[in-house]
Amino acid sequence: LFRSVHLTMRDTPLRRLVLLLLDYVDDNGYLGISNEAVIEKTGADEIAVIDAVTLLQQLDPPGVGLARSKSV
């Protein structure tokens, strides 16, 4: 996933958010951080976080990041 992001996305704040989100994707493809926690951690606005999650969900394999882990 990291390689795919580096190959397909320009170096922008949005890409940096996607890379941060990848740190929270578990082995089953679940995203283990809430949008609110990303906002708190990075200071990004809500729209940027939603956009980053959407970009993450468009990566291969299909379905990555679509579900949130129970702890979120």
Side-chain angles (χ1 to χ4, degrees), residues 18-63:
V18 174
L19 291 171
L20 174 102
L21 291 172
L22 287 178
D23 287 337
Y24 293 93
V25 174
D26 69 16
D27 292 339
N28 295 315
Y30 290 97
L31 185 56
I33 190 169
S34 67
N35 290 0
E36 294 79 15
V38 174
I39 292 166
E40 184 177 311
K41 187 176 199 62
T42 65
D45 64 45
E46 184 178 12
I47 298 300
V49 174
I50 291 169
D51 287 346
V53 170
T54 301
L55 288 172
L56 169 69
Q57 292 170 344
Q58 293 174 355
L59 296 173
D60 283 329

